[in-house]
Amino acid sequence: MLDEDHPATPPDEGRSGKGTLMKMRAVDDTTLVLTFDAPTPLTADRLAMWVKRGIGPDWMQPRHYMEQFHPRYNKRIDRKSDWAEKHDEKKDFPQNPECPTMTGWKLKSYKEDVNSVWERNPYYWCVDREGNQLPYIDGITMTNVQSPEVFKLRVIEGRVNHLYGGFSPLFLNDISALRQAQPRNKLDVRLWDAGDGSGSLVFFNQDYFEPKMRALIRNPKFRQALSHAYNRAQVRKAVYYNTGELTTGTLSPKAIEYRINEQGKQVYRQWRDSYIKYDPELAKRMLDEVGVKDQNGDGLREMPDGSRLRVTLDYHADSADEHVRKNELLTKDWKAIGIDVRMNPIPPESYEDRWAAGRIMTNTNWETGDGPNHLVYPQWLVPMERSRWAPLHGQMYSLRGTP
């Protein structure tokens, strides 16, 4: 057994891609036929990308199990009841041990805020190159620890035998203490390349509710000026201990497009390096060109019409130190060119709804996605849903239908 600490639809019609009608019908218990009114060559890739991971779109559910909780298939269910909520609870395989899964691990038991025990899925279809059945080990116990400090203490004391830092409150500034404890806890500390396109980033809400600020945000030169005023090298040193590379934020450098040939590599470098130069004087000139000037002599720049300009760096109030420290340094950089900047922690409970309604100006506690390629993971470039740079456009797109 492996112990690991860890912090705490039926067939229907829909749209697969903009303007493409998809019809789904079940032929029998094992065959589902998708019929499109236009070519959709990416369907297989989309299906392969999201195979019941617990995140992302639900492309498939075990019908033989789930139909008992749906009134279309079980006439004993009252359609006026809260059947939909129960239906969704039953398909939640990370919390419901009864739910079948396509992954290598099947939930054995779940205790909320305590732990979850996973066992090898005997029906998992994958083998390694030598033909050995995967996964190799029998099971994993994942222990939930509510306090980040208690979590770190458990690691230092050697009370865990495996964890992945990407899903734990461990950061680069914890490495020194972890390595000092290695003789006692026998843990092997490794730096893992997650393939992300960036560390902590900033992106504006281009559907911000206030018209004048929205127009300014949508002006590329305004955003480019702020990019030139950002001292990324300092953030790289202070927050990331000189790891990684300076970037404006791309998709993963490991994406297919960027590795397939020299042209792809060049495109990646162009995106990575665009408006990356730290040049406050250039930033000031660019802001002057778009009319964002200090018109009343108070040292702060105003809107082109002379009204007050304030930029807020919005983030979840419980954000990791990485994001908060980056925001502090960014605040200093932007104030140096005359921008009135305020850090604005927001309660996590209300953040997503406020962002989706266009009430939040910036998102500053994300990292750029690690998508395999733009075609199957276009959300950073195309507003397909609400969480990224154009939430109202994303909502409109979602209403029309997405893959």
Side-chain angles (χ1 to χ4, degrees), residues 68 183 185 190 211 231 315 319:
Q68 61 184 308
N185 59 31
R190 301 184 182 184
N231 191 344
Y315 58 97
S319 290

Side-chain angles (χ1 to χ4, degrees), residues 1-43:
M1 297 292 288
L2 177 65
D3 293 327
E4 177 177 351
D5 273 28
H6 198 283
T9 56
D12 203 350
E13 290 190 356
R15 290 193 177 273
S16 178
K18 185 175 180 180
T20 303
L21 182 66
M22 174 182 69
K23 295 183 178 180
M24 304 170 59
R25 63 185 178 88
V27 177
D28 51 44
D29 289 341
T30 60
T31 305
L32 181 66
V33 175
L34 309 181
T35 304
F36 303 90
D37 66 350
T40 55
L42 297 178
T43 299

Side-chain angles (χ1 to χ4, degrees), residues 232-290:
R232 292 173 174 82
Q234 184 182 32
V235 174
R236 180 173 180 249
K237 179 179 180 180
V239 180
Y240 297 105
Y241 296 82
N242 284 325
T243 60
E245 61 184 11
L246 303 185
T247 178
T248 53
T250 70
L251 278 183
S252 172
K254 299 181 182 300
I256 295 172
E257 294 95 331
Y258 301 143
R259 298 191 302 159
I260 191 169
N261 55 30
E262 185 56 40
Q263 182 182 9
K265 295 176 182 179
Q266 177 63 26
V267 169
Y268 170 75
R269 290 191 292 266
Q270 289 176 350
W271 187 3
R272 179 196 63 191
D273 300 339
S274 59
Y275 315 105
I276 198 174
K277 180 183 179 182
Y278 175 54
D279 191 338
E281 294 305 316
L282 173 61
K284 292 177 184 179
R285 293 195 299 270
M286 294 177 70
L287 290 174
D288 290 343
E289 291 173 8
V290 298

